[in-house]
Amino acid sequence: MSSGQKLRQLLARPEIIVIPGVYDCLSAKLAEQLGFEVVATSGFGIAASTLGLPDYGFLTATEMLYSVGRITQSVNIPLIADLDTGYGNALNVIRTIKDAVQLGVAGVLLEDQEWPKKCGHFEGKRVISMAEHAGKIRAAVEARGESGLVIIARTDARGPLGLEEAIARGRAYIAAGADILFVEAPQSIEELETITAAFPNVPLVANIVEGGKTPQLSASQLQNLGFKIVFFPLTGLLAVTQVISACFRHLKEQGTTANFPDLVNFKDFQELVGVPKYLQIEQEFKS
């Protein structure tokens, strides 16, 4: 069974799927260890962790797919990849999707922003035409072949053009063959309710960015509204930034980490990355 087919099985269940955003292999392995059944790469997180830059379209397709491929290999649960705009027109989307399938990706996000894109909760976003993005969705559907890859169509039109336009685009993208709809950055509970009322039979994504534009509702609240997936794309990134900052500040001030309370035990970390397993394999192949 392909990873896309595994994801489709999870989507067939009645409950909402809570999906943390990951940005490297370690964060993905932690999510898997803690029992999450799906992870999603965060373009924001990958840009910040690999380039030290904001989510302003600095990552190339090659850089993004390299990171996605490494993360996919590090876990045994389905991974949804944030592939921005597909990195060009419909022809570029075809190549991007074929590469994602070869990497074992379970699902992809494709958004309708102009390139270079921006984080969905930033100001100043611009979108391409509805017809052009619908064509890119059709190209993605064709390129996935029989892989079972789940295609999530994202529209960023709410910010620059309003919610009514975002809903119209959502209908066009679902008609083009997208499996799931993601209306980015609704700004109130009333807007979330308007989205679910407009798409009663379509799996919908809610995206919760701490400090972002969308109300920070719980998974159960979002399920009651009618959402199928909730992403928490930056939660891990924000948490680790806070802890590393506190730890380094403690080290700078105290000259030691002996009394810092929030360090993972070194032995436990070795278990997480598989040191005992590889030590055993090493012993088996020694001459």
Side-chain angles (χ1 to χ4, degrees):
M1 182 184 298
S2 72
S3 58
Q5 291 164 338
K6 291 178 183 177
L7 178 56
R8 289 176 183 276
Q9 285 190 342
L10 294 173
L11 289 166
R13 300 188 321 198
E15 62 269 21
I16 194 170
I17 305 176
V18 180
I19 304 179
V22 300
Y23 54 89
D24 62 8
C25 297
L26 182 60
S27 57
K29 290 178 77 68
L30 285 167
E32 181 179 37
Q33 183 187 67
L34 291 167
F36 288 97
E37 296 179 286
V38 186
V39 291
T41 56
S42 160
F44 190 114
I46 292 175
S49 62
T50 62
L51 301 179
L53 292 173
D55 189 11
Y56 262 72
F58 291 113
L59 283 165
T60 66
T62 301
E63 290 171 323
M64 183 67 84
L65 288 166
Y66 177 82
S67 293
V68 166
R70 293 291 189 186
I71 296 169
T72 302
Q73 292 173 20
S74 72
V75 293
N76 296 308
I77 56 177
L79 179 141
I80 297 171
D82 178 357
L83 295 182
D84 295 325
T85 66
Y87 308 102
N89 62 16
L91 295 178
N92 302 110
V93 167
I94 289 170
R95 181 182 175 188
T96 300
I97 293 300
K98 287 184 175 180
D99 286 347
V101 169
Q102 289 180 337
L103 292 171
V105 170
V108 298
L109 299 175
L110 292 173
E111 66 195 62
D112 60 1
Q113 283 196 54
E114 290 185 7
W115 189 263
K117 55 73 54 88
K118 297 179 179 179
C119 167
H121 290 252
F122 287 174
E123 298 295 335
K125 297 184 297 180
R126 298 186 301 179
V127 292
I128 62 175
S129 72
M130 183 192 308
E132 182 178 357
H133 195 62
K136 290 166 74 169
I137 295 298
R138 291 196 301 273
V141 170
E142 181 173 332
R144 73 180 170 190
E146 302 301 317
S147 66
L149 181 77
V150 174
I151 295 173
I152 302 174
R154 168 176 149 178
T155 178
D156 283 73
R158 163 61 187 90
L161 301 177
L163 186 60
E164 185 175 342
E165 172 68 13
I167 289 172
R169 284 170 176 252
R171 292 193 176 106
Y173 303 160
I174 292 299
D179 301 293
I180 297 172
L181 177 62
F182 176 0
V183 177
E184 175 64 300
Q187 298 181 15
S188 66
I189 293 175
E190 291 73 23
E191 289 195 3
L192 291 166
E193 291 173 336
T194 299
I195 292 166
T196 56
F199 299 98
N201 299 311
V202 175
L204 297 171
V205 169
N207 196 41
I208 304 300
V209 174
E210 294 83 356
K213 295 182 180 296
T214 301
Q216 194 169 344
L217 303 183
S218 69
S220 60
Q221 289 173 309
L222 290 164
Q223 177 168 317
N224 289 338
L225 288 176
F227 287 89
K228 184 60 191 177
I229 287 174
V230 53
F231 289 131
F232 288 84
L234 301 186
T235 305
L237 179 71
L238 298 178
V240 77
T241 300
Q242 174 73 7
V243 172
I244 290 175
S245 179
C247 180
F248 285 1
R249 184 181 301 111
H250 184 96
L251 175 60
K252 183 69 168 62
E253 293 173 353
Q254 305 294 327
T256 179
T257 58
N259 299 317
F260 189 76
D262 294 324
L263 293 179
V264 172
N265 181 276
F266 185 47
K267 183 178 179 182
D268 292 339
F269 189 87
Q270 292 181 65
E271 291 281 350
L272 174 65
V273 296
V275 170
K277 178 181 75 173
Y278 289 109
L279 282 173
Q280 181 179 353
I281 293 172
E282 183 181 42
Q283 290 299 318
E284 290 175 358
F285 288 98
K286 275 189 174 180
S287 56

